[in-house]
Amino acid sequence: MAKKRVHELAKELNIDNKELINKLTSMGINVKSHMSALEDNDVQKIMKEYGKKINQPKVDKGDTTNIGKPNEQNRGQVMEGKKEKDQFFKPDNSKGPGLVDRVPNRPPDRRYEDKPKSSQRPHQEARGPKPAPVHKENAAASNNVGTAQTSVQNNQGGARPPRNNAHGRPYGDRQGGQGKPANVNRQGAAQGRPGDRQSGQGQGKPPYGERQGGQNRPGDRQGGQVGQQGKPAYGDRQSGQGRAPYGDRQGGQGRAAQGGRGGTRSTAPVIPKPPEQIAQPKPTKAPDKTKGDRRKNYEKDGKWADGQIEKSKLNKHRQGKNKKKAETPAPAPVIVDKRPIQVGETITVQELAEKLKKTAAEVIKKLLGLGILATINQEVDFDTATLIASEFGIETELKVAVDKEAMIMAEPEDDPAQMVIRPPVVTIMGHVDHGKTSLLDAIRETNVTAGEAGGITQHIGAYQVEHNGKKITFVDTPGHAAFTAMRARGAKITDIAILVVAADDGVMPQTVEAINHAKAADVPIIVAINKIDKPTANPEKVKQELTHHDLVVEDWGGDVIAVPVSAKARIGLENLLEMILLVAEVHELKANPNRPARGTVIEAELDKGRGPVATVLVQNGTLHVGDTIVAGHVMGRVRAMIDDKGRRVKKALPSTPVEILGLSDVPEAGDIMVAVEDEKLAREVAEKRKQRKKEEALKASAKISLDDLFKHIQEGQIKELPIIVKADVQGSIEALAQALEKLSTDEVKVNLIHSGVGAINETDIMLASASNAIVIGFNVRPDVNARKLAETEKIDINLYRVIYEVIDDVKKAMSGLLDPEFKEVVIGHVEVRKTFKASKIGTIAGCYVTEGKITRDAGVRVIRDGIVIHEGKLDSLKRFKDDAKEVAQGYECGIALERYNDIQEGDIIEAFIIETVKRELK
Ligand SMILES: Nc1nc2c(ncn2[C@@H]2O[C@H](COP(=O)(O)OP(=O)(O)OP(=O)(O)O)[C@@H](O)[C@H]2O)c(=O)[nH]1
């Protein structure tokens, strides 16, 4: 059984959440919020507790209110516009003034306590069944009402003692609801309960009261009015109610009640008729027809069926009303919208208010009642929205947005029977000059040209070779940077990475980068130890070095395949292809050619003669000429396809790279391409993406940074914190790596995905972007390209000179305590072109400002080969012989540093200032 939540219980008890929470706390039951679930025994305890407390105060209240004030007064208040007070507190009002007056001694009315519920349909059931006890009570208690009362009580649910004034209330409530146009919706919601009302009708008005539950108050007041007025024409009343079935019912009830009353009436002037009068002033009278229809509906629903109201009486009444109505101008019928409102996973307060046909202020007030402080633009989740809607007597439905984009991007599970082996897609990576291009060329030349017309191959970004009757697709853009750039765009096209390591050079920084990039993408690696033709080649050394990076080759007992090759001498190429096929086989690379194509754009350009041209790697399905496709924000129909050998083809199977013509625009490398059967849908999705792209360009979203790390952790968005560390020496990296990994908590695991000695470069940033990693530089700086890329990719580069500070910052960031008051801003870079020694001053650097500017009071850092070798202050800054306050980009200057003379030609002097950062409260 589902546990009861605090707000549900509060609603049941008809008290506000806060009060209940306080009560629970005082009883030693710990709850965090209104959404907290309660144990059954706790619920029982509190019920017990409130069984007494709540009732009493309420009764008192009700009595006081009602008794003290004549119905009119109540009415008056209502009319003055209290209308939509917090339902939490209203219940008393809703009891209906008239009723109370008449029966001062009546016991607490549970009905009202249950009101919130009553706004929900389930109530109906509750009410129906317990008429018997009521009768008794009525007989005893109510002089006035007679039968009418009885039924009311019944509705209320047996437990309640009879109310004499039942008439008064119900009407009032109801009318209130009707009275306000705004209430229409609620009424709709309330309609669910017609049963209640009906029973009320049988008795007279009472039902109304019940029904309205939440709406009650306004109604109550009206009820009061009615009472005063005596029985105005039913027609009027109805018109007042105009909108809905309620009106009808009321009419019906009114009569019934009257019938029942007979003599009673005199006692209670309040009772039935008032609604009509109230209605009169209001222009919105429901035409008779409407009423008739509504009633029919009720009858259909069976809600009236159990109402003991004599239908014949009702009908008579109705007729009477109709006549009257015919005389009076028919107001526009108010349509009651019974449908639940559609709410998505989240909805803004504003939107919710609109859907509820309430003002945002009303919704915000309700939220406050739940202890939620929200602004108009703030989003609330579906559960909260449901809660709020129920406060207004409206139901919600979870709207599962039909996401057209998701529709076209959905990858239906392929029937295993349809799956066939597809060629592996291979990317070549490695350090500069280790022979990536040579290897690609060698493979292409040896394996592609044979048998091809003229041996001419088309450069389309990828090509296929055949080995032992099996195809292999090579992505023709060597380098892990390109690979990661593609991955950063969400595209995963590579099945196998070939890591080229020159046998005469060994594992170099970019080899390590490539390893880490491939690992981060979870792609199997085959090592091609190249240049083995060279006399200085030392493949064993390469294998040994690889073990430092967790790549243990088979010879050394590991599982990494290493193939000695020579791109130049064409040695080992067959073996390499063999191994590629082997790995492919192990990984069972399969695709279903019998479905619409799906692939990735490898490159794209605008060709003068041919228009937008895109090279696409088909990854699943088959792409045909004539297919409608969407690639990123571009759609089109494939007009022509050209394969990697320059031949026009009609179809492209999985793992085939093809150039396609016919797109409306140039897509981007990395865009996912899908063939879509519905052209209109394709157009819509492309349009939507184009729009979104524009919006995104406007508010380029920042990647994760130390500053917002805690927020992401709290929101559960990150479970792992990938970190890239670049440092001046290997020792620092090791120290940092150890210390950082120790910071892992249960919530977040710190994962050092890449580290290296030297300046922070472009590929580091690219990797950070692809892996949403944090970049830490220890005694190193980002190079120009890295800085630019970091800016565009919104990657935060964190630079330090003290290990303790790195650890401290990450730790603080993870716990939300990071509070850097200062931020360093680099204002310029100066290149040292010449150095002079001056006996008194020391070394003077003849410099050129390459970027930004340098100011006399700026902090400076001397950077040599990307590594910070000194940080300090300027001793002097001169333009020719004059002291200068600042020197801008493109100008020369003379610089002497304070207590530092080891400046060399080629050094870069970075000028920076420290800005105070005003931290925002989170
Ligand atoms: N002796 C020898 N030289 C090779 C071999 N493979 C490549 N080279 C030479 O190594 C140099 C670099 O080769 P590339 O193919 O340009 O290397 P790369 O890795 O593509 O270089 P970048 O594109 O700059 O990253 C060239 O001069 C090649 O001729 C080989 O197997 N043996």
Side-chain angles (χ1 to χ4, degrees):
M1 204 180 94
K3 286 186 178 167
K4 199 160 272 185
R5 292 180 189 277
V6 172
H7 68 83
E8 289 167 343
L9 184 57
K11 198 187 256 182
E12 252 173 55
L13 295 171
N14 204 12
I15 57 172
D16 75 0
N17 292 300
K18 220 171 168 185
E19 186 182 332
L20 181 55
I21 290 171
N22 287 340
K23 186 73 204 167
L24 285 164
T25 317
S26 70
M27 290 172 70
I29 302 166
N30 274 340
V31 288
K32 285 181 182 164
S33 70
H34 66 283
M35 293 300 286
S36 302
L38 293 166
E39 294 299 330
D40 289 347
N41 55 348
D42 291 341
V43 172
Q44 277 166 13
K45 264 192 228 167
I46 200 80
M47 291 284 262
K48 217 172 177 186
E49 185 74 15
Y50 269 96
K52 301 167 194 166
K53 282 197 175 179
I54 248 199
N55 290 340
Q56 284 167 354
K58 285 199 172 183
V59 176
D60 293 345
K61 246 193 194 178
D63 287 340
T64 320
T65 318
N66 296 325
I67 296 169
K69 300 175 189 175
N71 298 330
E72 300 165 11
Q73 280 180 4
N74 286 334
R75 205 203 299 147
Q77 291 171 355
V78 178
M79 301 300 270
E80 281 164 25
K82 265 193 171 187
K83 296 182 184 178
E84 307 211 357
K85 280 229 167 178
D86 261 358
Q87 293 174 0
F88 296 117
F89 302 99
K90 292 195 171 183
D92 295 330
N93 289 335
S94 61
K95 290 176 186 174
L99 288 176
V100 184
D101 286 347
R102 289 172 215 141
V103 191
N105 297 326
R106 89 179 146 176
D109 187 350
R110 279 203 198 155
R111 246 199 297 172
Y112 297 108
E113 293 169 4
D114 290 339
K115 270 183 186 177
K117 279 188 181 176
S118 75
S119 67
Q120 298 164 358
R121 289 157 197 179
H123 269 293
Q124 303 174 350
E125 297 172 9
R127 297 174 184 175
K130 320 174 181 174
V134 180
H135 284 295
K136 277 185 190 172
E137 291 171 341
N138 287 336
S142 65
N143 306 325
N144 309 332
V145 185
T147 44
Q149 290 178 351
T150 316
S151 39
V152 176
Q153 293 166 359
N154 287 336
N155 296 334
Q156 295 173 353
R160 250 191 262 140
R163 284 183 196 168
N164 299 329
N165 296 325
H167 309 305
R169 289 180 192 170
Y171 291 118
D173 289 339
R174 201 216 255 153
Q175 290 177 353
Q178 301 161 357
K180 305 167 188 176
N183 294 334
V184 177
N185 287 329
R186 295 177 195 157
Q187 291 182 349
Q191 290 173 355
R193 311 158 205 159
D196 298 350
R197 296 166 190 171
Q198 291 178 358
S199 57
Q201 293 172 355
Q203 306 157 351
K205 311 142 190 186
Y208 295 118
E210 294 180 1
R211 202 221 247 153
Q212 294 179 350
Q215 311 164 351
N216 311 341
R217 298 126 209 175
D220 292 353
R221 300 157 192 171
Q222 292 181 357
Q225 296 173 355
V226 176
Q228 299 167 352
Q229 298 165 357
K231 309 175 184 175
Y234 289 109
D236 291 353
R237 201 215 252 154
Q238 291 179 352
S239 61
Q241 305 162 351
R243 313 145 200 162
Y246 297 120
D248 291 351
R249 279 185 206 152
Q250 293 178 352
Q253 298 170 353
R255 296 154 208 160
Q258 293 168 1
R261 299 169 212 152
T264 342
R265 225 201 247 161
S266 58
T267 15
V270 185
I271 305 177
K273 313 155 191 180
E276 299 153 6
Q277 289 186 355
I278 292 169
Q280 287 176 354
K282 298 183 184 177
T284 49
K285 282 187 186 177
D288 300 341
K289 273 186 188 178
T290 322
K291 294 180 181 178
D293 289 341
R294 288 176 198 154
R295 223 184 256 171
K296 271 183 199 169
N297 290 337
Y298 281 112
E299 287 168 4
K300 266 186 202 168
D301 292 343
K303 295 173 181 177
W304 292 78
D306 60 349
Q308 288 95 20
I309 302 171
E310 301 127 22
K311 276 193 179 177
S312 57
K313 280 185 187 173
L314 285 175
N315 288 335
K316 275 181 197 171
H317 259 308
R318 217 188 273 158
Q319 285 166 12
K321 278 185 185 178
N322 290 343
K323 273 184 189 176
K324 282 186 183 176
K325 282 183 182 177
E327 292 159 11
T328 49
V334 179
I335 296 158
V336 177
D337 191 356
K338 284 185 176 183
R339 289 169 303 173
I341 57 164
Q342 303 265 315
V343 178
E345 293 286 350
T346 60
I347 186 169
T348 64
V349 170
Q350 168 90 65
E351 285 167 351
L352 180 61
E354 278 165 15
K355 282 184 190 278
L356 293 170
K357 298 199 172 67
K358 301 282 155 198
T359 63
E362 284 172 295
V363 172
I364 289 170
K365 209 196 269 177
K366 294 282 179 218
L367 282 164
L368 269 176
L370 296 177
I372 301 169
L373 187 62
T375 61
I376 194 165
N377 294 318
Q378 208 156 314
E379 286 189 335
V380 293
D381 60 17
F382 175 77
D383 287 344
T384 311
T386 303
L387 218 51
I388 297 300
S390 73
E391 295 290 345
F392 290 111
I394 296 173
E395 290 187 0
T396 54
E397 240 175 34
L398 182 61
K399 182 174 140 199
V400 184
V402 183
D403 188 344
K404 291 182 179 168
E405 193 168 346
M407 259 167 74
I408 71 159
M409 295 307 285
E411 280 192 272
E413 191 118 324
D414 286 304
D415 174 6
Q418 303 264 339
M419 301 292 275
V420 296
I421 296 287
R422 66 170 174 86
V425 179
V426 178
T427 298
I428 296 194
M429 305 175 177
H431 191 68
V432 178
D433 277 354
H434 277 200
K436 299 181 291 291
T437 314
S438 303
L439 190 60
L440 268 171
D441 289 346
I443 293 169
R444 177 161 34 194
E445 281 161 24
T446 24
N447 296 274
V448 172
T449 53
E452 304 298 340
I456 302 162
T457 59
Q458 181 92 357
H459 177 85
I460 67 163
Y463 64 85
Q464 277 190 322
V465 298
E466 216 171 288
H467 179 72
N468 292 342
K470 289 175 181 168
K471 286 181 176 166
I472 300 171
T473 305
F474 282 89
V475 177
D476 199 6
T477 348
H480 54 276
F483 163 83
T484 301
M486 193 75 102
R487 194 163 76 82
R489 307 242 329 107
K492 184 178 186 277
I493 58 169
T494 306
D495 298 312
I496 299 167
I498 306 294
L499 180 71
V500 179
V501 188
D504 61 336
D505 203 16
V507 172
M508 298 303 281
Q510 284 185 31
T511 316
V512 178
E513 281 183 8
I515 292 170
N516 291 337
H517 284 227
K519 276 187 185 166
D522 203 18
V523 170
I525 298 170
I526 294 177
V527 181
I529 303 176
N530 194 24
K531 304 194 185 181
I532 54 156
D533 58 299
K534 280 193 159 185
T536 49
N538 186 354
E540 290 309 304
K541 183 174 161 257
V542 173
K543 290 176 190 173
Q544 193 242 319
E545 286 171 351
L546 286 171
T547 58
H548 297 152
H549 303 281
D550 292 336
L551 289 186
V552 185
V553 300
E554 286 176 327
D555 297 0
W556 289 53
D559 57 358
V560 175
I561 297 172
V563 185
V565 294
S566 167
K568 199 170 179 182
R570 307 281 199 265
I571 301 169
L573 301 184
E574 300 282 302
N575 192 19
L576 179 62
L577 298 180
E578 195 72 49
M579 291 303 126
I580 292 171
L581 290 172
L582 184 74
V583 173
E585 204 177 304
V586 170
H587 284 82
E588 287 194 340
L589 304 172
K590 287 183 173 177
N592 174 13
N594 304 315
R595 52 170 277 182
R598 183 188 182 89
T600 299
V601 176
I602 296 174
E603 50 186 35
E605 59 174 11
L606 187 61
D607 186 279
K608 262 189 196 169
R610 302 186 295 169
V613 180
T615 300
V616 168
L617 175 73
V618 178
Q619 291 170 287
N620 202 1
T622 301
L623 184 63
H624 302 89
V625 167
D627 281 354
T628 297
I629 58 167
V630 177
H633 65 285
V634 176
M635 65 86 58
R637 182 180 286 235
V638 180
R639 201 171 66 227
M641 281 199 289
I642 298 119
D643 72 4
D644 56 321
K645 279 105 195 168
R647 299 172 301 201
R648 285 201 163 226
V649 289
K650 289 237 161 79
K651 62 176 187 179
L653 292 163
S655 293
T656 308
V658 277
E659 208 174 53
I660 52 175
L661 310 182
L663 292 171
S664 61
D665 199 351
V666 183
E668 287 175 28
D671 278 345
I672 308 292
M673 178 231 53
V674 283
V676 184
E677 276 165 20
D678 182 347
E679 192 174 328
K680 195 175 150 226
L681 183 64
R683 200 176 301 280
E684 272 178 39
V685 170
E687 265 319 307
K688 199 174 158 200
R689 286 178 174 175
K690 208 178 276 181
Q691 186 62 33
R692 196 167 54 215
K693 210 175 153 210
K694 267 191 210 161
E695 287 164 11
E696 276 168 9
L698 286 176
K699 50 160 191 176
S701 64
K703 292 267 167 31
I704 185 172
S705 72
L706 281 181
D707 287 350
D708 59 11
L709 178 60
F710 183 63
K711 197 178 99 203
H712 288 287
I713 294 173
Q714 271 193 324
E715 288 167 1
Q717 287 173 9
I718 55 167
K719 298 265 172 272
E720 191 182 84
L721 174 62
I723 293 187
I724 295 170
V725 172
K726 294 303 284 284
D728 52 347
V729 289
Q730 189 61 32
S732 309
I733 294 177
E734 277 158 22
L736 272 171
Q738 272 186 5
L740 285 171
E741 279 170 5
K742 271 191 202 149
L743 295 179
S744 293
T745 63
D746 291 344
E747 286 169 332
V748 187
K749 183 175 176 285
V750 176
N751 187 12
L752 189 66
I753 59 163
H754 175 60
S755 61
V757 172
I760 296 163
N761 58 34
E762 225 175 331
T763 56
D764 294 327
I765 304 298
M766 196 58 84
L767 180 61
S769 175
S771 310
N772 204 11
I774 281 173
V775 180
I776 289 174
F778 183 71
N779 275 344
V780 291
R781 317 301 298 169
D783 63 28
V784 181
N785 291 337
R787 240 182 304 126
K788 283 183 183 155
L789 186 63
E791 244 166 59
T792 40
E793 293 288 316
K794 307 280 170 210
I795 297 291
D796 211 18
I797 301 176
N798 305 277
L799 303 168
Y800 297 90
R801 285 180 61 74
V802 182
I803 285 194
Y804 166 76
E805 282 176 6
V806 183
I807 307 304
D808 204 41
D809 266 11
V810 176
K811 200 155 103 190
K812 281 181 180 165
M814 286 173 68
S815 53
L817 300 172
L818 186 64
D819 191 23
E821 312 88 37
F822 303 109
K823 185 182 162 203
E824 179 192 297
V825 180
V826 173
I827 56 168
H829 285 96
V830 175
E831 191 183 308
V832 178
R833 297 207 159 159
K834 204 103 188 129
T835 57
F836 312 92
K837 300 264 185 215
S839 54
K840 283 185 185 169
I841 306 168
T843 306
I844 298 170
C847 304
Y848 179 79
V849 183
T850 53
E851 204 185 341
K853 62 178 181 183
I854 184 164
T855 57
R856 177 64 185 80
D857 53 359
V860 285
R861 227 171 251 131
V862 180
I863 301 164
R864 192 170 298 157
D865 300 325
I867 292 174
V868 182
I869 55 167
H870 170 74
E871 189 174 306
K873 286 183 174 175
L874 284 180
D875 194 30
S876 66
L877 175 68
K878 289 186 186 285
R879 275 283 292 155
F880 302 107
K881 288 186 174 173
D882 302 325
D883 283 330
K885 270 196 171 170
E886 72 172 54
V887 180
Q889 183 175 346
Y891 290 95
E892 291 179 336
C893 59
I895 288 176
L897 301 180
E898 214 176 70
R899 292 193 292 277
Y900 189 75
N901 289 317
D902 183 26
I903 309 176
Q904 291 178 15
E905 281 175 29
D907 284 349
I908 300 291
I909 295 176
E910 184 176 82
F912 62 91
I913 54 169
I914 303 291
E915 275 183 357
T916 309
V917 178
K918 200 178 173 194
R919 289 235 125 203
E920 285 174 18
L921 284 178
K922 283 177 187 169

